[in-house]
Amino acid sequence: MGSLTKTERVVSWICRIVAAVILGQTLFFKFTGAEESIYIFTKVGLEPWGRYGSGIAELISAILLLSPRFAWAGALLALGVISGALISHLAVLGIVVKDDGGLLFGLAVTVFVTSALTAFLHRRQIPVVSQIFKPQPA
């Protein structure tokens, strides 16, 4: 993370905290079997294992996002998980789920944007991508 400017570090932390908080707050609903979570995963045909699996992936990504060394991995994992959520909203669930006014969709978009920005800011830490951005000897 040493290669980030002060502004980039601040933006990174803001994005990572926002994404981790959103991912973390949904875990309670997934793991306790809240009615809305069961409804969503039943509608997409993944209840209960999809609910548990996505919850575990979101927990791991939230933890990684808060780790300076592995923020890039948390961002990439969050992008994968949240992409599935966005596709489910657009293809099956709709923007508004159970009269939530589009809140869940909006939160998913927020996680996607903040995770994408985090992945971009930490691109030099991503093992394969870092080789592309490695400074070439003069």
Side-chain angles (χ1 to χ4, degrees):
M1 191 154 130
S3 64
L4 299 180
T5 66
K6 182 178 180 180
T7 301
E8 289 171 334
R9 279 194 304 275
V10 169
V11 170
S12 170
W13 273 109
I14 291 169
C15 288
R16 291 160 49 199
I17 290 169
V18 167
V21 166
I22 292 171
L23 291 168
Q25 66 91 21
T26 64
L27 295 177
F28 173 79
F29 301 103
K30 284 186 174 77
F31 291 145
T32 61
E35 177 198 344
E36 191 172 67
S37 280
I38 290 174
Y39 169 82
I40 289 168
F41 284 93
T42 298
K43 188 143 183 182
V44 297
L46 296 172
E47 175 62 29
W49 298 111
R51 180 167 48 89
Y52 296 138
S54 67
I56 291 167
E58 289 174 12
L59 174 62
I60 294 168
S61 65
I63 291 167
L64 292 172
L65 279 165
L66 297 176
S67 163
R69 184 173 178 190
F70 296 108
W72 64 270
L76 294 179
L77 181 56
L79 281 169
V81 173
I82 216 65
S83 292
L86 289 170
I87 290 168
S88 294
H89 273 280
L90 295 173
V92 180
L93 299 168
I95 303 295
V96 177
V97 177
K98 293 189 72 98
D99 298 320
D100 74 345
L103 177 64
L104 288 177
F105 182 77
L107 291 172
V109 169
T110 301
V111 169
F112 185 89
V113 170
T114 55
S115 296
L117 189 49
T118 298
F120 176 77
L121 289 171
H122 294 270
R123 66 193 177 277
R124 288 177 182 86
Q125 291 178 295
I126 302 171
V128 174
V129 177
S130 66
Q131 297 304 312
I132 297 168
F133 293 102
K134 187 182 244 180
Q136 300 300 319

